[in-house]
Amino acid sequence: MAPMSEPIVNLHDHERAAQAALGEAAWAYFSGGAADEISLRRNLAAWQAWGLAPRVLRDLRGGHTRCRLLGREWPMPLLVAPMAHQRWAHPDGEAGMALAAAAQGCGLVLSHQTSTPLQEVAPLVLPEADRGPLWFQLYWHADRSLTTDLLRQVEQAGYEALVLTVDAPVQGVRDRERRHGLPLPEGVRAVHWPADTLPSGAGLCGGLAEVAPRWDDVQWLIGQTHLPVLLKGITHPGDARQALSVGAAGVIVSNHGGRVLDTVPASAELLRPVVETVRTQQAEALVLVDGGIRRGTDLFKALALGADAALLGRPALYGLAHAGARGVAHVLRLMRDEFEATLALTGCASVQDIDLDLLWPCKL
Ligand SMILES: Cc1cc2nc3c(=O)[nH]c(=O)nc-3n(C[C@H](O)[C@H](O)[C@H](O)COP(=O)(O)O)c2cc1C
């Protein structure tokens, strides 16, 4: 890693190092949020507002961080969130992200807007014995034959689940990004996304409403693949209920890291009602969450509120931006160490011991 004046000991340090390493436009794209960035800030504050209620003197022997997702055991309840254009952050790009995630026992969700072919990423993850899950994130495309073609590629490459992102039928209004544009460097592009497929004059009244996905499209998609499908960007319990009734294997509670619709509440605030709905309807369906997770204690709180696992977004990109694969590995290692310390200090020998009782009943 590039020498810093202070040692890098937490994810905030990685963020500062990334800002120093990236140009202004890239920093605006990777770190920015929608409009006044209220949801972006609230995502961070809402985890911090929950207090922990540790228990002492419990038996911690044989402790571990293993979890079960989609019928299989994994080393850690943490995955790297799907994020576009990673080779803009660093030449290691999605390959570096994948190697680091697998080495640290964390999962990886590869973005539909990956700048590295999905066929090159999967073999970097699948042979690792102690890896996390490998999933592929999909945006809806109006041309169904393009979608089915991509699905076959995803299945053949060995991805284990599909994540359909449903909260961004149109691009969020991101002021910082609009000031700088999106000057992707030469050779960096979304390799699985056809360049010319948005209706001209895109926008709800300019044709996007015609091609934006609806519930019957989701049902169709689920019928096209043997992979489990999770819906990402669910915030309303009613949508969680509908997701399960059309056959989704689970939902990801997310406001897209505050990048799409500003003033949607924080994921930490939205999570519990979705969990309660899902558990009543279908006990084995998954609920994951992302947005604002920066500490092992945040991950712990997500599980205490009922999530099966969480996704980490920007911090992984920040590690990548200033130090490539090694930077990501360090970010994930820090999360792992902090999470293990939180387990021990709250009296939990494993993630199965985490429950709502370990959160202080009133916010700080
Ligand atoms: C630069 C950037 C690009 C993103 N690209 C995608 C994407 O291609 N697909 C998607 O579903 N979510 C995308 N997201 C949202 C993340 O998957 C995730 O929901 C969010 O970053 C989590 O919040 P956090 O960054 O506070 O951890 C992106 C986020 C960032 C920061």
Side-chain angles (χ1 to χ4, degrees):
M1 268 176 264
M4 293 263 296
S5 49
E6 299 284 334
I8 293 188
V9 300
N10 60 36
L11 272 53
H12 306 302
D13 294 339
H14 276 284
E15 179 169 351
R16 279 189 292 274
Q19 184 171 11
L22 290 171
E24 252 187 305
W27 176 248
Y29 174 70
F30 289 121
S31 68
D36 296 311
E37 303 191 334
I38 288 163
S39 298
L40 172 61
R41 285 192 295 279
R42 192 156 165 158
N43 270 353
L44 303 167
W47 296 116
Q48 292 167 1
W50 278 106
L52 290 169
R55 303 296 303 271
V56 296
L57 300 174
R58 286 181 168 179
D59 187 354
L60 300 173
R61 285 173 293 182
H64 63 81
T65 61
R66 290 194 292 278
C67 68
R68 278 192 86 75
L69 300 175
L70 298 173
R72 207 173 142 177
E73 194 167 272
W74 308 101
M76 261 295 278
L78 187 69
L79 297 86
V80 175
M83 288 173 289
H85 309 313
Q86 293 178 15
R87 286 180 51 234
W88 189 15
H90 189 278
D92 285 359
E94 288 82 2
M97 193 70 96
L99 283 170
Q104 292 299 330
C106 295
L108 178 84
V109 188
L110 186 70
S111 167
H112 193 160
Q113 296 189 321
T114 174
S115 51
T116 309
L118 66 91
Q119 291 84 354
E120 288 177 25
V121 174
L124 303 174
V125 173
L126 294 173
E128 174 64 51
D130 275 330
R131 69 180 173 90
L134 177 64
W135 298 352
F136 187 84
Q137 178 264 324
L138 192 79
Y139 281 117
W140 177 254
H141 196 288
D143 183 341
R144 290 184 174 196
S145 66
L146 285 181
T147 299
T148 45
D149 178 54
L150 184 61
L151 277 181
R152 298 293 86 80
Q153 296 181 49
V154 167
E155 290 168 351
Q156 271 165 23
Y159 290 78
E160 295 152 327
L162 205 65
V163 171
L164 178 69
T165 298
V166 292
D167 62 0
V170 299
Q171 174 92 321
V173 178
R174 294 200 282 270
D175 293 358
R176 282 205 260 161
E177 194 180 308
R178 287 160 75 212
R179 285 194 189 100
H180 295 279
L182 205 68
L184 289 178
E186 187 71 29
V188 175
R189 64 180 186 92
V191 292
H192 295 295
W193 189 260
D196 53 349
T197 49
L198 271 188
S200 58
L204 205 56
C205 308
L208 259 180
E210 296 303 315
V211 297
R214 298 183 289 264
W215 283 107
D216 51 333
D217 297 311
V218 176
Q219 197 156 16
W220 172 83
L221 179 78
I222 291 171
Q224 296 302 309
T225 176
H226 65 264
L227 295 177
V229 177
L230 292 96
L231 300 195
K232 174 172 181 281
I234 296 294
T235 56
H236 196 289
D239 285 343
R241 199 174 301 119
Q242 197 152 359
L244 300 189
S245 57
V246 298
V251 298
I252 302 180
V253 176
S254 170
N255 57 24
H256 215 109
R259 291 170 71 81
V260 174
L261 180 63
D262 200 20
T263 70
V264 175
S267 311
E269 296 163 317
L270 298 163
L271 176 58
R272 193 69 200 154
V274 171
V275 165
E276 277 164 6
T277 302
V278 168
R279 298 287 172 244
T280 319
Q281 193 170 338
Q282 207 175 302
E284 73 284 5
L286 286 188
V287 181
L288 278 74
V289 66
D290 73 19
I293 290 178
R294 303 292 180 263
R295 288 283 187 185
T297 44
D298 298 339
L299 174 57
F300 181 93
K301 291 169 189 177
L303 300 196
L305 290 168
D308 296 291
L311 290 80
L312 185 71
R314 294 179 184 83
L317 271 177
Y318 296 152
L320 182 72
H322 77 93
R326 283 186 309 143
V328 183
H330 191 241
V331 163
L332 298 176
R333 184 75 234 175
L334 286 170
M335 280 300 293
R336 234 186 131 137
D337 291 347
E338 288 187 15
F339 181 61
E340 278 181 28
T342 310
L343 281 181
L345 293 170
T346 51
C348 297
S350 76
V351 298
Q352 285 71 40
D353 294 339
I354 302 175
D355 65 27
L356 207 49
D357 194 43
L358 295 166
L359 294 187
W360 199 249
C362 54
K363 302 270 183 77
L364 296 177

